[in-house]
Amino acid sequence: MNLTELTSRLPEGSVLTAREDLLPYAFDGTAALKQMPAAVVFPRNAEDVAAVLRFADEQNAPVVTRGSGTGLSGGSVPVKNGIVLCTLRMDKVLEVDTRNLAMMVEPGVLTKVIDEEAAKHGLFYPPDPSSMKVSTIGGNVANNSGGLRGLKYGVTRDYVMGLEAVIPDGEIVWLGSKCVKDVAGYNLRDLFIGSEGTLGVITRILLKLVPRPKAKRTLLATYSDIERAAETVSAVIEAKIIPCTMEFLDRMTIRCVEDFAHVGLPTDCEALLFMETDGHPAVVEEEAAAMAEIARKYGAKEVTLAADEAQALQLATARRSAFAALARIKPTTILEDATVPRSELARMVRFCEETGKKHGLQLASFGHMGDGNLHPTFLTNEKDTEEMHRVEQAMSEIFDFAISLGGTITGEHGVGLAKRDFLPRQFDPGSYALLSKVKASLDPKGLLNPGKIFPVQG
Amino acid sequence: MNLTELTSRLPEGSVLTAREDLLPYAFDGTAALKQMPAAVVFPRNAEDVAAVLRFADEQNAPVVTRGSGTGLSGGSVPVKNGIVLCTLRMDKVLEVDTRNLAMMVEPGVLTKVIDEEAAKHGLFYPPDPSSMKVSTIGGNVANNSGGLRGLKYGVTRDYVMGLEAVIPDGEIVWLGSKCVKDVAGYNLRDLFIGSEGTLGVITRILLKLVPRPKAKRTLLATYSDIERAAETVSAVIEAKIIPCTMEFLDRMTIRCVEDFAHVGLPTDCEALLFMETDGHPAVVEEEAAAMAEIARKYGAKEVTLAADEAQALQLATARRSAFAALARIKPTTILEDATVPRSELARMVRFCEETGKKHGLQLASFGHMGDGNLHPTFLTNEKDTEEMHRVEQAMSEIFDFAISLGGTITGEHGVGLAKRDFLPRQFDPGSYALLSKVKASLDPKGLLNPGKIFPVQG
């Protein structure tokens, strides 16, 4: 690859090539995966991105796009000696359109900035991946990120009205519109959402906003076993209440979080349910009371209704710090996101526990109980190859069990490198073949994020 | 095409070939478009569909899929001497899963049956195309149908969790899952939704349900001009109220509806706004009162809050009968669905009026003001070729204006035959080329609904 040529085609200061400058871009948030690129490019607009892709096309150079690199499936780990295209300098909020409840942004804007901007207008951007303080919206769209509010509000996909992307030949395309209804032509917007940088580079995003809920109540319920927590979740939904969050922590996660954050979580229980309801003040009061009653009826040991916003925030912070708290225990934290239909979550949690035990592994579980999205988390050491082998074996069994329950190997992190080899297990051969057909058709040379989602072709 | 061979591969009574039997399948709900097929096939399951597609593949025979044929863009008009695949015998509700808020159905189930089944469990299927009493869910998914509740509840796409489809080579594929979060592989489910039968035949659909709203209030406001109605809509949304319906009728539509349905609509106004808020009883009361106040503030001549369910239903029926009422005036009714961002709707309505006048045409407008989805409706006579030419000219100008406002040539009816030639105006060349690439990749012989969305290739 002719790096001088690449550098000459972009504004000054856009390309890094020195080894020490490249090092921070050799990995993302995924344990045990890294690879050195040849160059890191910081485009400032779609034209810069197009210049990079045209160069890559000429030189047959692979291009891996990344934002903050918080991904947990190796989706933005570089290809050896390839180009890394980093969107962090494309960080402008271009428009907040309060009449059409929409916001146009560049891909490098941080997720939390999106919601802060929305809040200035009394509006709300609901998707809240745990990494939202550092993750970029471009990464969220490329991975169709989830978050804690999935049950009520859906995921990133549900808030993307349109996007601009640069496709492999350097053409800039726009997909979608500000119209609430638009059925002109195939929906390629949704094909690009969640395509993990393998079909194009997203350069602008038109987001949908909703009115900001006026009130919120937070509840905490503790249980002596996971089944009762799961029954509570089912009963709340049977009562036609759709809370915005229904989060679950197992014993090990509770203890780690309490050690880490000291928020006064009870450490003598087997499971903890953290629930939030938001919306109109009258509805929120009514629902919070009903949820507390249901929790008690289904055998909660203790039910706490946060007295004020400070207490609610403290509890929310406790839940949000689960990953960080677990990550302190052992050198390597492998956070999975096997997901099942909501009704199967209790079985899935039990299976993870047993599988961890069977393989002699330290495993903590937490996750989004309302939407069946579990995070079984292995606390291990990547240098211990024998233990890592057992982790892989356990993970494989967990994925197979999730699939057998009608679930998925990845609820919100994406396939990337880490789950690529498991993907064919979830798809029937016909639909797996369709995925490859689409890739081959839109990126015929296979230069965009090669090796992610599928093995490198040919 | 060897029709004896086709008949022999399917259960007895599955294939019609007599001319008099084929006639009812020669057209759909679109004015002035018809074509005779060679055969109509009624599959009972995905295996029958696969047999038809394998036969078609062998014989290079075109296949057009249809349900009830209520489409308004010619999407299910047969190809001359081709096969029509009619899903009406695949009409079973396979499962209602109250724990996961999901329902599995076959494509021939009527839309209203879906919601009736949901209602038995206190659940709700929101998408409500005007034709819902006769349209099938398969047709709704193939067209990503809208309806009156789009602003608050979204469209068909927002309620499809998964689908089974038979692809051109006869393979049966499943796309999606019961998981609220699932990011494994490309989202091909959303590519098939709205693909108008050009990529595969949908044979099962997994729908998402939501809790049924407990209360609803209906309001009617009349105006002396359209701008005030539009300002009311904007002000309601600025007040952070998202009503489930905000429908608009112009003077001509109001008069036709009143002549037809005799519900006591005031015929001395220029515009009428029909609004519904649904949800929690306390919220609904509060929002209805606020909406009435906003309507008055923005110059409504009269605001009526429906006193009871009977009156509300009467008003809703009046709105729903708009198309039928207009269709009585002249032999041919051409109902368009040009759609713009909500903030541009008043300009769009004015433009349609002026364009109708300029070309000496009878034009009525009504539609979904909350989501910018307008139905300019030409009352004409398809036998008057000179007038039809003027209709086409006016339509073309209306589409161009919608596109210039950031809108779309079709908000909810689909491209089909009727809007195929306008599609390239809405897309930049790069994204239009992408559409063709996807079609060529998934249906290389171009046998599924050829000539719809795009001209026949090659």
Side-chain angles (χ1 to χ4, degrees):
Chain A
M1 190 179 0
N2 184 340
L3 293 179
T4 318
E5 173 66 20
L6 174 62
T7 306
S8 76
R9 293 200 193 173
L10 291 159
E12 214 181 312
S14 300
V15 185
L16 300 178
T17 55
R19 191 180 155 78
E20 63 275 22
D21 293 334
L22 301 180
L23 270 172
Y25 301 92
F27 53 87
D28 65 7
T30 320
L33 291 173
K34 69 183 67 160
Q35 194 61 264
M36 281 296 282
V40 180
V41 184
F42 297 88
R44 291 183 187 273
N45 51 47
E47 286 67 33
D48 285 355
V49 172
V52 176
L53 295 201
R54 279 194 301 267
F55 171 84
D57 184 56
E58 289 162 27
Q59 309 249 333
N60 286 315
V63 176
V64 177
T65 306
R66 64 172 275 155
S68 300
T70 54
L72 294 168
S73 64
S76 57
V77 170
V79 170
K80 193 173 176 185
N81 294 325
I83 299 169
V84 165
L85 191 159
C86 179
T87 62
L88 287 181
R89 290 190 196 161
M90 296 174 71
D91 62 352
K92 286 189 283 300
V93 174
L94 300 170
E95 187 198 12
V96 181
D97 178 349
T98 56
R99 295 170 73 199
N100 292 303
L101 302 180
M103 187 192 290
M104 184 76 89
V105 299
E106 291 186 325
V109 178
L110 300 188
T111 314
K112 82 172 168 83
V113 171
I114 306 276
D115 189 43
E116 286 166 1
E117 280 296 319
K120 289 179 191 165
H121 305 272
L123 296 170
F124 186 36
Y125 175 72
D128 61 340
S130 293
S131 54
M132 66 185 292
K133 284 187 187 168
V134 279
S135 68
T136 63
I137 188 69
N140 292 174
V141 173
N143 288 285
N144 186 22
S145 300
L148 276 64
R149 304 188 184 113
L151 169 61
K152 177 169 177 179
Y153 288 104
V155 294
T156 303
R157 178 184 305 291
D158 301 304
Y159 296 87
V160 179
M161 302 183 83
L163 56 85
E164 181 186 77
V166 185
I167 55 177
D169 62 6
E171 187 118 24
I172 301 171
V173 300
W174 171 258
L175 306 167
S177 72
K178 270 191 190 174
C179 299
V180 174
K181 292 173 175 168
D182 186 353
V183 295
Y186 299 141
N187 178 359
L188 298 185
R189 175 195 67 201
D190 277 281
L191 184 63
F192 277 77
I193 301 169
S195 65
E196 305 187 22
T198 65
L199 301 179
V201 179
I202 295 167
T203 47
R204 268 193 307 159
I205 304 156
L206 180 67
L207 295 167
K208 171 185 158 179
L209 304 174
V210 296
R212 205 160 188 87
K214 292 187 187 104
K216 185 193 270 194
R217 286 304 300 266
T218 302
L219 283 91
L220 206 68
T222 57
Y223 296 87
S224 56
D225 59 62
I226 170 77
E227 274 78 11
R228 284 164 203 239
E231 282 166 12
T232 300
V233 169
S234 288
V236 166
I237 289 163
E238 292 276 355
K240 312 291 184 261
I241 297 171
I242 307 286
C244 73
T245 25
M246 296 187 101
E247 295 288 311
F248 139 85
L249 307 183
D250 76 353
R251 172 192 278 268
M252 174 126 176
T253 311
I254 298 167
R255 290 190 175 186
C256 291
V257 167
E258 185 51 30
D259 277 356
F260 178 72
H262 308 292
V263 287
L265 296 184
T267 51
D268 61 340
C269 61
E270 285 299 316
L272 181 156
L273 208 52
F274 167 85
M275 300 186 278
E276 291 175 318
T277 159
D278 69 0
H280 186 281
V283 180
V284 160
E285 283 309 316
E286 200 177 300
E287 287 187 351
M291 282 155 71
E293 199 188 308
I294 291 168
R296 280 188 206 99
K297 185 175 159 195
Y298 284 86
K301 290 164 57 127
E302 210 175 321
V303 180
T304 315
L305 200 62
D308 52 27
E309 228 171 285
Q311 200 190 350
L313 189 67
Q314 194 180 32
L315 296 177
T317 306
R319 160 58 189 92
R320 284 199 177 268
S321 65
F323 181 46
L326 290 170
R328 303 189 323 157
I329 310 298
K330 282 288 203 78
T332 307
T333 313
I334 297 180
L335 176 70
E336 282 310 327
D337 64 330
T339 298
V340 291
R342 185 189 307 121
S343 59
E344 305 291 352
L345 194 87
R347 280 176 75 189
M348 190 70 215
V349 173
R350 276 270 177 264
F351 182 86
C352 290
E353 262 180 35
E354 286 158 15
T355 306
K357 264 184 213 150
K358 190 176 95 182
H359 292 283
L361 296 166
Q362 243 184 319
L363 181 104
S365 281
F366 66 99
H368 318 303
M369 200 155 208
D371 58 27
N373 181 194
L374 185 68
H375 293 307
T377 305
F378 295 97
L379 311 182
T380 180
N381 184 345
E382 65 191 278
K383 288 183 183 144
D384 181 344
T385 50
E386 187 277 326
E387 183 168 290
M388 283 299 277
H389 182 72
R390 280 181 284 131
V391 168
E392 275 160 33
Q393 185 54 38
M395 248 167 53
S396 169
E397 291 169 21
I398 286 172
F399 290 149
D400 282 341
F401 191 68
I403 293 168
S404 77
L405 297 178
T408 172
I409 59 170
T410 176
E412 57 181 7
H413 296 165
V415 176
L417 277 177
K419 271 170 261 186
R420 181 184 81 179
D421 297 337
F422 299 103
L423 191 63
R425 300 190 197 175
Q426 183 173 333
F427 281 71
D428 52 76
S431 43
Y432 188 72
L434 279 187
L435 301 181
S436 315
K437 267 190 198 175
V438 169
K439 169 71 173 175
S441 155
L442 300 191
D443 181 22
K445 288 186 169 180
L447 295 177
L448 290 192
N449 217 359
K452 314 297 165 60
I453 304 182
F454 321 93
V456 175
Q457 314 280 308
Chain B
M1 187 178 5
N2 184 339
L3 293 178
T4 319
E5 173 66 19
L6 174 63
T7 305
S8 77
R9 293 197 193 175
L10 291 158
E12 216 181 310
S14 300
V15 185
L16 300 178
T17 55
R19 188 178 158 77
E20 64 273 23
D21 292 336
L22 301 180
L23 271 173
Y25 301 92
F27 52 89
D28 65 6
T30 319
L33 291 173
K34 68 182 67 160
Q35 197 59 266
M36 282 295 282
V40 180
V41 184
F42 297 88
R44 290 184 187 275
N45 50 48
E47 286 68 32
D48 285 356
V49 173
V52 176
L53 295 200
R54 277 194 301 265
F55 170 85
D57 185 56
E58 288 163 28
Q59 309 248 334
N60 287 316
V63 176
V64 177
T65 306
R66 63 173 274 155
S68 301
T70 54
L72 294 168
S73 64
S76 58
V77 169
V79 170
K80 192 174 180 186
N81 294 324
I83 299 169
V84 166
L85 193 158
C86 178
T87 63
L88 286 181
R89 291 191 194 160
M90 298 175 70
D91 62 352
K92 286 190 283 301
V93 173
L94 300 169
E95 187 197 14
V96 181
D97 179 349
T98 56
R99 294 169 74 200
N100 293 304
L101 302 181
M103 187 193 290
M104 183 77 89
V105 299
E106 291 184 326
V109 178
L110 300 187
T111 314
K112 82 174 168 83
V113 171
I114 306 276
D115 189 44
E116 285 166 4
E117 281 296 320
K120 289 180 191 166
H121 303 272
L123 296 170
F124 186 36
Y125 175 72
D128 61 342
S130 293
S131 56
M132 65 183 293
K133 284 186 185 168
V134 279
S135 69
T136 63
I137 187 70
N140 291 174
V141 174
N143 288 285
N144 186 23
S145 299
L148 276 63
R149 304 188 184 113
L151 169 61
K152 177 169 175 179
Y153 287 104
V155 294
T156 303
R157 179 184 305 290
D158 300 305
Y159 296 87
V160 179
M161 302 182 83
L163 57 85
E164 183 186 75
V166 184
I167 55 176
D169 63 4
E171 187 118 24
I172 302 170
V173 300
W174 171 259
L175 306 167
S177 72
K178 270 190 190 174
C179 299
V180 174
K181 292 175 177 168
D182 186 353
V183 294
Y186 297 141
N187 179 2
L188 298 186
R189 176 193 67 200
D190 276 281
L191 184 62
F192 277 76
I193 300 169
S195 65
E196 304 189 23
T198 64
L199 301 180
V201 178
I202 295 167
T203 48
R204 270 194 305 159
I205 304 154
L206 180 67
L207 295 168
K208 171 184 158 180
L209 305 174
V210 297
R212 206 160 188 86
K214 292 187 187 105
K216 185 194 269 193
R217 286 305 299 267
T218 302
L219 283 93
L220 206 68
T222 57
Y223 296 86
S224 56
D225 59 61
I226 170 75
E227 275 75 14
R228 284 164 203 239
E231 281 167 12
T232 301
V233 169
S234 289
V236 167
I237 289 163
E238 292 274 356
K240 310 294 183 258
I241 297 172
I242 306 287
C244 73
T245 26
M246 295 188 101
E247 297 287 310
F248 139 84
L249 308 182
D250 75 354
R251 172 192 277 267
M252 172 129 178
T253 311
I254 297 167
R255 290 189 176 188
C256 291
V257 166
E258 185 52 27
D259 277 354
F260 177 74
H262 306 294
V263 289
L265 296 184
T267 51
D268 62 338
C269 60
E270 285 298 316
L272 181 156
L273 208 52
F274 166 86
M275 300 187 277
E276 292 176 318
T277 158
D278 70 358
H280 187 282
V283 179
V284 160
E285 285 309 317
E286 198 176 301
E287 288 187 349
M291 283 154 70
E293 199 188 308
I294 291 169
R296 280 189 207 99
K297 184 173 160 196
Y298 284 87
K301 289 164 57 123
E302 211 176 318
V303 180
T304 315
L305 199 61
D308 51 28
E309 229 170 283
Q311 199 192 351
L313 190 66
Q314 196 181 30
L315 296 176
T317 307
R319 160 60 190 91
R320 284 197 178 271
S321 65
F323 182 44
L326 291 171
R328 302 189 324 156
I329 309 299
K330 283 287 203 78
T332 307
T333 313
I334 297 180
L335 177 71
E336 282 310 325
D337 64 331
T339 299
V340 291
R342 183 189 307 122
S343 59
E344 305 290 353
L345 195 86
R347 280 177 75 188
M348 191 69 213
V349 173
R350 276 269 177 264
F351 182 85
C352 290
E353 264 180 33
E354 285 158 15
T355 306
K357 265 185 213 151
K358 190 175 92 181
H359 292 282
L361 296 166
Q362 243 186 317
L363 181 103
S365 282
F366 65 99
H368 317 303
M369 198 153 209
D371 57 28
N373 180 194
L374 184 68
H375 293 307
T377 305
F378 295 97
L379 312 180
T380 182
N381 183 346
E382 65 192 275
K383 288 181 184 147
D384 182 343
T385 48
E386 187 277 325
E387 183 167 292
M388 284 299 278
H389 182 72
R390 279 183 282 134
V391 168
E392 275 160 32
Q393 186 54 40
M395 247 167 54
S396 170
E397 290 170 21
I398 287 172
F399 290 150
D400 282 341
F401 192 67
I403 293 168
S404 78
L405 297 178
T408 170
I409 59 169
T410 176
E412 55 182 7
H413 296 164
V415 177
L417 277 177
K419 270 168 259 182
R420 181 185 81 180
D421 296 337
F422 300 103
L423 192 63
R425 300 190 198 173
Q426 185 173 332
F427 281 72
D428 52 79
S431 43
Y432 189 72
L434 278 186
L435 300 180
S436 315
K437 267 191 196 173
V438 168
K439 169 71 173 175
S441 155
L442 299 190
D443 180 21
K445 288 185 171 183
L447 296 177
L448 291 190
N449 217 2
K452 314 300 164 56
I453 303 181
F454 320 95
V456 175
Q457 312 284 307

